[in-house]
Amino acid sequence: MIARIAAELGPWAWWVLGIVLLILEVLMPGVFLVWIGVAAVITGALSLLLWEASWWTWQVQWLVFAALSVAAVLVGRRLVLSNAQRTDEPFLNQRAQGLVGRTATLEQPISEGRGRIRLDDTMWSVQGPDLPIGTRVRVVASSGRDLTVEPV
């Protein structure tokens, strides 16, 4: 069946497959099918050049396509990861993690391991050693919505 399709469409079968994969990438974004589509288009270009060669059978074409697909996915992954933007606020959506290292004054004393501090405009529950109100503390860890503090 594959040999019949390849014979009927000739080298254009790879171009059709590549375009179908690229259209599927648009419909189901995920930046994966694009690389396989590119491999199919490259295989189609090679098929245009090598179609008359006796050794350019459909089996060889599929092997070339498989190798190009793996190579394209690896190169594409590297490109996507290298272009990832670095941010000056890595904890933007993890507010409590972004508070680690900051210092504050206890608004409520830490009694039996629990107390409260104010950072910016928010009161935070803290845990740590028992300390009186007004003590300067540093946030050393974050666990959910509770912060762990130690005296400065």
Side-chain angles (χ1 to χ4, degrees), residues 104-109 115-119 122-123 132-135:
T105 303
L106 285 174
E107 295 279 327
Q108 294 178 2
R116 293 181 71 76
I117 61 172
R118 176 179 300 276
L119 282 170
T122 306
M123 292 290 287
I133 193 169
T135 305

Side-chain angles (χ1 to χ4, degrees), residues 6-8 12 23 36 48 52 54 56 62 74 78 93 99 101 103 112 119-120 124 126-127 140 143 148:
E8 288 178 12
W12 298 105
I23 290 170
I36 299 173
L48 284 173
E52 298 300 322
S54 62
W56 190 250
W62 276 100
L74 292 175
R78 184 165 289 189
N93 293 324
L99 299 175
T103 58
E112 297 178 11
L119 282 170
D120 300 326
W124 291 87
V126 296
Q127 48 191 345
V140 293
S143 162
T148 303

